[in-house]
Amino acid sequence: MPSPQQNRKVVVTGIGVISSLGNTVESFWDSLVAGRSGLGPITRFDSEGYTCKVASEVNDFDPSDYMDPKEARRNDRYTQFAVAATRRALADGSLDPEAVDPARIGVLIGSGIGGMETIEQQSRVLFERGPRKVSPFMIPALIADMASGVVAIEIGARGPNFGIVSACATGAHAIGESFHMIRSGRADVMVAGGSEAAITGLGYAGFCSMKAMSTHFNDEPERASRPFDKKRDGFVMGEGAGVLILETEEGARRRGARIYAEIVGYAATCDAHHITMPDPEGKGLGEALQYALDEGGVGPEEVDYINAHGTSTPYNDKFETLAVKKVFGEHAKELILSSTKSMTGHLLGAAGGVEAAACCKAIETGWIPPTINYEEPDPDCDLDCAPNRAVQRDVRVAVTNNLGFGGHNGSLVFRRPGA
């Protein structure tokens, strides 16, 4: 392996998204800019008896479009999403992995939960039919590192490879750690992001018991996710994957690749406060934001857009707003802080990948996606969230935040190429 090199420029050249808003980056982005909701009634299990009956489900998905059908059956839905998003990202970036030294390509695709569907299905088999009927593929299918492992096998990538698990900060951490690997010379190309498929009876039962999910809009699913709105009452679970192709700027320019954005800063911190509630002063997230800006040499006044974690829960939206105000000062009133979770729902470990993709598209197109369902202002969430309509703006620098149970925080800073 070549000696580590410090501070190589790292750029995004490919985007792959699997989501309720579409399975191509074009359909996903067009839906976001149009303010289209991907939420609807739960169809993946019988929601009778559940307090939340709304989900953001991936439709029209056939894993055999992306991998061998036999291999697809051996893997959990979350791994299928990861492979599909990777195939999409490689095609979007016009990158043939066989044209790159396989030892210099890594994969870091995390999941907050892993194979929830497999756990639920095989538990049922155990209790109804006994231990001898449990699938020999159960363990490989359910563990949360398997998305990275299977993707690497599919594309022949022998570089850095493991699974990051940090709840809803997973995708951001996977991209950030991949950024550092390339910048330091440990890899030349990284396939990075998150994947999640936890819309199951067991997954919903747990979150409903925590009273974390929306319950007031079961009859109007598209209105259920409403970040920063005073009537928000909980998040809505989504599923899917968001994967970015990261590579050195030198390599990208050498092969004539389109560059969406440069990653310039990343930081991960912990609130050290509570297993599920964010720090009420926003200290941990504020530190992650400041550290990421400092690493990128970006002043607060340079940031045009923040893709908020914005889960539509009472505490998160309030404390995230507070953290942004502390870090950005007066400039907090000038930037836009919108939440695409209003349309995609909360993809848990995949959220960071999908929302990083939204930042890259905002830089490329000059459109900032809205926060839909914003109807009644909350004085605790008083920043510009692009209410209900996309905003056209020259986006030089975009930031994305993600927070996870356990107090995990992650912030990524993207800059327009050449800016």
Side-chain angles (χ1 to χ4, degrees):
M1 178 177 288
S3 299
Q5 303 171 52
Q6 295 297 322
N7 299 324
R8 301 195 301 176
K9 288 189 175 182
V10 181
V11 297
V12 179
T13 57
I15 297 174
V17 173
I18 303 296
S19 75
S20 63
L21 296 178
N23 296 335
T24 67
V25 66
E26 294 82 10
S27 59
F28 164 75
W29 183 246
D30 289 347
S31 294
L32 285 186
V33 173
R36 192 173 300 129
S37 174
L39 279 60
I42 295 170
T43 66
R44 293 198 57 77
F45 65 91
D46 183 358
S47 64
E48 181 67 29
Y50 288 78
T51 54
C52 178
K53 302 177 183 293
V54 181
S56 184
E57 300 177 342
V58 172
N59 299 307
D60 302 319
F61 177 76
D62 184 348
S64 64
D65 290 339
Y66 307 97
M67 59 194 303
D68 179 80
K70 184 177 180 180
E71 290 301 315
R73 287 193 297 272
R74 291 176 174 176
N75 285 286
D76 190 85
R77 184 171 169 89
Y78 98 93
T79 299
Q80 296 170 358
F81 286 158
V83 172
T86 297
R87 297 288 189 198
R88 292 286 190 183
L90 289 170
D92 182 61
S94 300
L95 179 65
D96 178 3
E98 294 185 1
V100 183
D101 179 355
R104 304 293 295 163
I105 305 178
V107 182
L108 230 177
I109 301 175
S111 181
I113 295 179
M116 176 66 80
E117 190 170 75
T118 295
I119 294 170
E120 187 170 322
Q121 290 173 347
Q122 294 304 309
S123 295
R124 190 176 297 117
V125 170
L126 172 66
F127 297 136
E128 294 178 358
R129 302 173 61 193
R132 293 181 180 273
K133 296 298 183 181
V134 170
S135 170
F137 300 110
M138 182 194 76
I139 298 300
L142 68 85
I143 51 182
D145 70 309
M146 197 49 61
S148 287
V150 170
V151 166
I153 292 168
E154 289 282 323
I155 68 173
R158 299 206 313 268
N161 186 292
F162 52 92
I164 283 182
V165 179
S166 50
C168 304
T170 295
H173 287 162
I175 292 169
E177 296 300 325
S178 295
F179 157 59
H180 281 172
M181 286 177 182
I182 295 176
R183 191 181 65 162
S184 67
R186 298 299 180 186
D188 295 329
V189 177
M190 291 294 296
V191 179
S195 185
E196 204 78 83
I199 300 178
T200 72
L202 182 61
Y204 260 64
F207 278 117
C208 286
S209 292
M210 292 176 64
K211 302 188 185 305
M213 304 185 80
S214 174
T215 60
H216 295 171
F217 297 92
N218 286 326
D219 294 331
E220 300 176 280
E222 293 184 352
R223 297 182 63 209
S225 184
R226 45 200 317 109
F228 308 118
D229 183 81
K230 192 172 184 178
K231 293 181 181 178
R232 65 189 185 277
D233 72 316
F235 80 91
V236 175
M237 193 188 298
E239 61 177 358
V243 170
L244 304 184
I245 304 299
L246 310 183
E247 56 185 301
T248 64
E249 181 187 49
E250 179 184 7
R253 295 201 182 282
R254 185 168 57 242
R255 69 181 187 87
R258 171 193 52 200
I259 295 176
Y260 283 106
E262 179 187 357
I263 304 183
V264 296
Y266 157 66
T269 64
C270 184
D271 287 348
H273 169 70
H274 189 272
I275 59 171
T276 60
M277 183 184 294
D279 184 283
E281 297 180 13
K283 287 185 290 189
L285 176 58
E287 288 166 348
L289 273 167
Q290 189 63 64
Y291 296 157
L293 293 172
D294 290 346
E295 180 177 60
V298 174
E301 70 285 352
E302 296 180 71
V303 176
D304 302 294
Y305 173 51
I306 299 177
N307 186 294
H309 190 55
T311 56
S312 186
T313 55
Y315 288 127
N316 178 89
D317 296 2
K318 174 181 177 179
F319 299 155
E320 184 172 13
T321 301
L322 181 61
V324 170
K325 286 180 176 180
K326 286 185 175 181
V327 172
F328 289 89
E330 288 300 314
H331 185 64
K333 296 289 186 180
E334 303 299 323
L335 56 77
I336 293 178
L337 175 79
S338 78
S339 174
T340 47
K341 287 184 179 72
S342 59
M343 296 168 278
T344 65
H346 189 353
L347 276 68
L348 308 182
V354 170
E355 290 156 16
C359 283
C360 292
K361 290 296 291 183
I363 288 172
E364 181 199 33
T365 66
W367 282 99
I368 293 176
T371 304
I372 67 169
N373 298 319
Y374 187 83
E375 297 171 354
E376 187 173 343
D378 181 344
D380 289 327
C381 303
D382 57 351
L383 300 181
D384 183 354
C385 67
N388 303 311
R389 291 183 181 277
V391 175
Q392 194 165 18
R393 177 178 288 193
D394 183 26
V395 181
R396 301 160 298 166
V397 177
V399 173
T400 183
N401 295 325
N402 286 111
L403 291 68
F405 284 175
H408 309 301
N409 303 294
S411 293
L412 293 164
V413 181
F414 298 88
R415 191 199 301 272
R416 187 170 62 200

